[in-house]
Structures are given as structure tokens and as C-alpha cells.
């Protein structure tokens, strides 16, 4: 899968993908990430990509031309399956959206800054608008890093243990159960004895009960999500 990102501050997107699972995904050729600085398509030699908004008011707007030229140029290599704009007024991102995007071949993510991007780019190009929650970030880059990480780890072959991504919280509308590692006793707290029985059926049953109890207590809203 190829994910391309257009943004104003590409430095914000370097480190998150240079380590651990996202690094491995790229090394294995399962994920190809291309990060483009919008400045490359600036309208003048000062690197201008934003301007005042019509109608007045505080905050700059990312202009049409640099974005349209960037998207047009990138699309010469082939159409994107989805052109996503990261914005707090988008649809709230969740695991279902993650899984669905992980099945695409080539997607483009546009990160906004300042007051956002000219509405005409949204009208002409954008096919999906995504928010990562009800709070405002200073730019779309960190939000893009969040969704790329979420998408990347569910691409088949990225996580070594095939079942691991499927047992994450949210995959079956359940939060994950508690997990334990050595030692068997720590500061007077013992690992639940069922986990030491070596009986996979009992362990699975216990994990399901724990996941259900945790979800009922903390996130009853996700239990009856489709
Ligand atoms: Cl996608 N962008 C910005 N700037 N703020 C956000 C967001 C996105 N999602 C939640 N807050």
C-alpha cells in the first residue's frame, strides 16, 4: 500500500515512521510512505502557500494553487483511491475506518494548518474528511501520523503474529483484556491463576469475560456499534 502525505511541516512526520512496527512495514515493502512539503508548490520564491481569508478575520488559509498543483502532479502517477483531508470538522476516526482504509492501494492525505484550506480544494478533490477527536491540534500532521500508524499496523504481514492486530481493543467492539508478564507475583499482586493453567480454552474464556466487563464499565457505547 502507498500512502502519500502533503503537508506544510514535513519534519513533524519524520520520526514516527522511523521506528518499530512502522519501520518494519516499510522495510518489508508492505507500506510505502511518501511525504511531500507543500512548499515545493509555493506560488512564489518566498515559499508562500497561505493567504488572508476573504471576508476578514484572524488566521491564514492554505491557498488553492499550491494544493491543486501538488495533487495534480502526484495524480499523474495514477489516481488515488482516496484523498483525505485531516480536519477537526471531519468524521471521527475509528477502527472500522482504519480497517477499511488498510484495504486501499494508494491514498493521499492532506494536512491543514492555520485556519484550514480553501473550501474549493475540499469541493474539487477531497473524498474523505477525518478528525481524530473533539479537540483542536495546531496542524493536521500529528493527526495524519496517528491514522497512518493505525492503518499501517493492520496491513496483513506487518505485525508478526497474524492474530495480534485482530485481538486489539476495538477490533470486535471490545476493549482488550488485562495482560501480565513475569514475575508471577509483584508487590503482593499475583497474576490471575487461570493464566498459569496452560489451558488455552480457559484462558480464552477468561479473556473474553474480562474484555466484556471492561467494555461495559468503561465504554458501554461501543458494545452495540455495528
Ligand atoms: Cl485531523 N486536525 C486538527 N488540526 N485538529 C484536530 C484534528 C485534525 N483532529 C482532531 N483535532
Amino acid at each position: 500500500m502507498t500512502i502519500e502525505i502533503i503537508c506544510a511541516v514535513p519534519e513533524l512526520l519524520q520520526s514516527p515512521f522511523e521506528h518499530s512496527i512502522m519501520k518494519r512495514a516499510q522495510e518489508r515493502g508492505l507500506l510505502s510512505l511518501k511525504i511531500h512539503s507543500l512548499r515545493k508548490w509555493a506560488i512564489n520564491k518566498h515559499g508562500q502557500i497561505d493567504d488572508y481569508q476573504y471576508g476578514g478575520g484572524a488566521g491564514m488559509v492554505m491557498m488553492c494553487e499550491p494544493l491543486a498543483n501538488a495533487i495534480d502532479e502526484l495524480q499523474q502517477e495514477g489516481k488515488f483511491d482516496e484523498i483525505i483531508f485531516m480536519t477537526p470538522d471531519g468524521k471521527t476516526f475509528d477502527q472500522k475506518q482504519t480497517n477499511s482504509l488498510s484495504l486501499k492501494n494508494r491514498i493521499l492525505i492532506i494536512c491543514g494548518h492555520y485556519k484550514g484550506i480553501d473550501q474549493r480544494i475540499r469541493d474539487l478533490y477531497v473524498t474523505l474528511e477525518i478528525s481524530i477527536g473533539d479537540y483542536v491540534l495546531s496542524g493536521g500532521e500529528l493527526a495524519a501520523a496517528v491514522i497512518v500508524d493505525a492503518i499501517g499496523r493492520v496491513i496483513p504481514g506487518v505485525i508478526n503474529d497474524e492474530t495480534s492486530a485482530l485481538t486489539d481493543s476495538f477490533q470486535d467492539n471490545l476493549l482488550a483484556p488485562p495482560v501480565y508478564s513475569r514475575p508471577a507475583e509483584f508487590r503482593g499482586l499475583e497474576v490471575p491463576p487461570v493464566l498459569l493453567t496452560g489451558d488455552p480454552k480457559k484462558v480464552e474464556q477468561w479473556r473474553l469475560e474480562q474484555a466484556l466487563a471492561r467494555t461495559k464499565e468503561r465504554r458501554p457505547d461501543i458494545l452495540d456499534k455495528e
Side-chain angles (χ1 to χ4, degrees):
M1 168 180 202
T2 301
I3 302 180
E4 308 212 20
I5 303 177
I6 298 175
C7 61
V9 194
E11 292 80 6
L12 288 172
L13 286 165
Q14 301 304 329
S15 167
F17 306 111
E18 287 171 1
H19 310 278
S20 178
I21 293 176
M22 292 304 117
K23 180 182 177 192
R24 199 170 64 216
Q26 293 174 87
E27 285 171 351
R28 288 185 179 170
L30 299 168
L31 174 65
S32 166
L33 252 185
K34 297 179 191 167
I35 297 161
H36 308 279
S37 171
L38 186 59
R39 305 254 173 231
K40 194 180 152 198
W41 292 275
I43 59 157
N44 55 33
K45 61 176 188 292
H46 311 293
Q48 189 180 353
I49 53 174
D50 60 333
D51 208 342
Y52 298 102
Q53 52 177 318
Y54 279 119
M60 307 292 275
V61 173
M62 284 163 71
M63 308 170 74
C64 287
E65 287 99 330
L67 279 166
N69 290 335
I71 301 167
D72 289 347
E73 187 177 322
L74 299 180
Q75 289 220 105
Q76 277 172 13
E77 277 182 41
K79 290 269 290 174
F80 290 104
D81 299 315
E82 211 78 69
I83 298 183
I84 300 168
F85 175 48
M86 301 307 303
T87 174
D89 54 27
K91 180 171 178 277
T92 308
F93 196 61
D94 62 9
Q95 194 63 46
K96 196 176 158 210
Q97 183 78 264
T98 302
N99 297 345
S100 143
L101 287 171
S102 77
L103 302 173
K104 309 273 179 184
N105 185 42
R106 185 164 184 251
I107 65 178
L108 174 67
I109 301 174
I110 301 167
C111 306
H113 249 265
Y114 321 109
K115 269 283 161 206
I117 66 175
D118 192 297
Q119 179 61 38
R120 290 165 292 185
I121 294 297
R122 296 167 78 162
D123 296 341
L124 289 168
Y125 290 99
V126 171
T127 59
L128 186 60
E129 303 196 322
I130 291 177
S131 161
I132 61 162
D134 293 343
Y135 41 83
V136 177
L137 302 169
S138 46
E141 285 88 352
L142 296 181
V146 166
I147 77 163
V148 171
D149 185 295
I151 294 166
R153 63 193 300 288
V154 296
I155 296 173
V158 168
I159 292 186
N160 279 327
D161 178 357
E162 282 289 329
T163 59
S164 186
L166 300 175
T167 57
D168 289 339
S169 281
F170 300 108
Q171 273 303 7
D172 40 16
N173 288 352
L174 287 177
L175 299 180
V179 293
Y180 297 86
S181 183
R182 289 191 292 177
E185 194 231 294
F186 180 70
R187 296 190 185 167
L189 297 179
E190 283 175 7
V191 172
V194 59
L195 297 178
L196 307 177
T197 59
D199 181 336
K201 274 220 168 80
K202 276 193 191 148
V203 169
E204 195 192 338
Q205 180 60 29
W206 179 85
R207 285 183 173 151
L208 181 61
E209 285 164 16
Q210 293 290 315
L212 254 171
R214 207 171 240 199
T215 313
K216 272 185 192 147
E217 187 196 319
R218 301 182 180 187
R219 294 294 305 276
D221 58 298
I222 66 171
L223 273 174
D224 38 42
K225 253 179 122 171
E226 40 140 352

